[in-house]
Structure formats: structure tokens, C-alpha cells
Amino acid sequence: MLYTATGGGSAGDYNGDGVVKAADYTVWRDHLGAGRYENSG
């Protein structure tokens, strides 16, 4: 399942491509505990 962002980013779109998918989980997991993300809402 894919979700497309309609505005200035989407919560969960950690790689900034406008779509929330498995790649976003990978980016999130790699940076877990590092602080706040630009697209985290």
C-alpha cells in the first residue's frame, strides 16, 4: 500500500519522496534515536 503526500510533506515520509513506503521505514530505523526528522510532522 502506498500513500501519496498532498501537501508540504507527510508524516512518515522520512526520505522526502512524497510517498510513505518501506524505504521510509529503513531511513527511520537507521536514524532511530538521532532526533527529529525534517518530514516527521
Side-chain angles (χ1 to χ4, degrees):
M1 179 180 284
L2 298 176
Y3 296 95
T4 303
T6 58
S10 178
D13 181 22
Y14 296 108
N15 64 359
D17 67 354
V19 181
V20 177
K21 59 186 180 304
D24 297 298
Y25 171 78
T26 302
V27 172
W28 172 80
R29 184 67 183 167
D30 288 347
H31 297 96
L32 184 61
R36 187 171 172 89
Y37 292 94
E38 179 181 331
N39 295 331
S40 65

